[in-house]
Amino acid sequence: MFSGFEERVKRAVKSVREVESVSPQLGIILGSGLGDFIDRFSGREIPYTKIDGFPLPTVEGHRGTLKINPSAAVLAGRFHYYEGYDPDDIVLPIFLLHGLGVRTLIVTNAAGAVNPEYKPGELVLIRDHINLMGVNPLRGPNIADLGPRFPDMSEVYGLQLRQLVKSISKQSYREGVYAAFQGPCYETPAEIRMAAAFGADLVGMSTVPEVIAAAYLGIKVIGISCVTNMAAGILEQPLSHEEVVATGKKVAPQLAELITSILNNLSG
Ligand code: HPA
């Protein structure tokens, strides 16, 4: 984080506090094309344009809005490194959620399957991640009031939360390791073989910076990847953004249901 970041966080929290006083414990971040849940969720809607210092998402399918009620705060629209944002911009929403009272976070994303057993359209629980982005949002002066200089990352996607998700779902979910590349190009087949050799099951271009920030702040994380395609080189066909978007759209209602049941369970 750069110096001045703490002030930036305070200003963002203040602009939400000016219109809404609730302090939900649960935060939810909806990935590209996975925004369906927000329409089922009732709460006060605050567009990013009304949150002081918030950048605006440039990716289609990202709405750029916060919805908040006493149980949860939902963000539809995230900031990716490949869009040109600084890591500070990418993690500002996590610091905002923390400032509003959030202590458990559900992060969702669209991902390519490195694991050949996975199928497009499947939801996978993230068990761990590998940061191949080449950036870390915690670089820079540490804000000692908020978190440690050297945060522990041994169990960021908490076992108890993963077990809870499995116990409340009718369906069984596999668990996998998510590797984050910078993007915006998809990976080469050789990069996917490397990711597989490293132990990755999924690849994507998001989530890891936000999860690092959450771990730093002591927020517990549930990560859900929506497999939108088989990763490069697994099938003999090129990857297409249209395929990723179309599969994401198909799975969005199932993801919305899963998030709803987690929300009901955690707030009930
Ligand atoms: N690679 C990287 N990011 C992605 C992919 C992929 O195959 N699918 C969806 N997001």
Side-chain angles (χ1 to χ4, degrees):
M1 283 100 51
F2 288 97
S3 52
F5 184 67
E6 199 175 4
E7 277 314 305
R8 210 177 151 196
V9 173
K10 283 186 183 149
R11 288 204 322 269
V13 173
K14 186 162 169 266
S15 54
V16 173
R17 281 287 170 245
E18 273 163 10
V19 292
E20 185 55 71
S21 61
V22 296
S23 292
Q25 294 259 333
L26 181 67
I28 300 166
I29 297 187
L30 303 171
S32 314
L34 303 173
D36 259 32
F37 173 76
I38 202 152
D39 297 324
R40 308 186 180 200
F41 181 83
S42 57
R44 182 188 300 278
E45 185 158 357
I46 306 169
Y48 288 179
T49 45
K50 298 273 167 59
I51 305 176
D52 198 2
F54 246 54
L56 292 179
T58 68
V59 189
E60 235 180 283
H62 278 248
R63 289 200 232 188
T65 197
L66 163 71
K67 245 191 204 180
I68 182 166
N69 76 19
S71 307
V74 185
L75 291 164
R78 60 148 56 100
F79 308 111
H80 302 85
Y81 193 60
Y82 66 74
E83 293 176 86
Y85 293 112
D86 289 326
D88 275 10
D89 294 327
I90 300 168
V91 297
L92 181 62
I94 309 301
F95 283 79
L96 167 66
L97 291 177
H98 178 261
L100 295 174
V102 165
R103 296 296 176 262
T104 303
L105 181 68
I106 303 175
V107 281
T108 65
N109 60 42
V114 175
N115 187 327
E117 289 179 9
Y118 292 176
K119 302 266 178 311
E122 176 172 354
L123 298 177
V124 176
L125 291 178
I126 304 177
R127 173 163 49 85
D128 204 349
H129 75 223
I130 303 173
N131 184 6
L132 297 174
M133 279 190 162
V135 288
N136 192 304
L138 305 180
R139 176 173 178 264
N142 184 42
I143 307 169
D145 287 347
L146 290 181
R149 171 78 291 189
F150 302 107
D152 173 44
M153 297 291 289
S154 359
E155 205 191 294
V156 179
Y157 304 86
L159 176 65
Q160 278 188 346
L161 284 173
R162 278 183 276 132
Q163 281 170 342
L164 174 103
V165 174
K166 288 181 179 173
S167 71
I168 62 175
S169 312
K170 284 173 236 127
Q171 204 184 322
S172 65
Y173 294 105
R174 294 195 250 218
E175 292 190 353
V177 174
Y178 176 92
F181 283 82
Q182 230 182 66
C185 57
Y186 291 115
E187 302 70 31
T188 63
E191 286 164 346
I192 293 303
R193 288 195 297 275
M194 177 194 77
F198 281 4
D201 298 293
L202 301 150
V203 278
M205 307 174 192
S206 68
T207 305
V208 163
E210 291 113 308
V211 168
I212 290 174
Y216 170 76
L217 293 166
I219 296 174
K220 293 185 203 137
V221 178
I222 298 172
I224 306 167
S225 280
C226 160
V227 176
T228 51
N229 56 286
M230 299 313 286
I234 295 192
L235 304 177
E236 281 180 24
Q237 64 186 49
L239 265 60
S240 89
H241 177 62
E242 288 68 34
E243 179 198 357
V244 168
V245 172
T247 313
K249 274 208 183 112
K250 260 190 246 155
V251 195
Q254 193 196 332
L255 178 65
E257 245 170 65
L258 176 59
I259 296 173
T260 306
S261 59
I262 299 171
L263 174 61
N264 290 342
N265 202 279
L266 288 178
S267 60

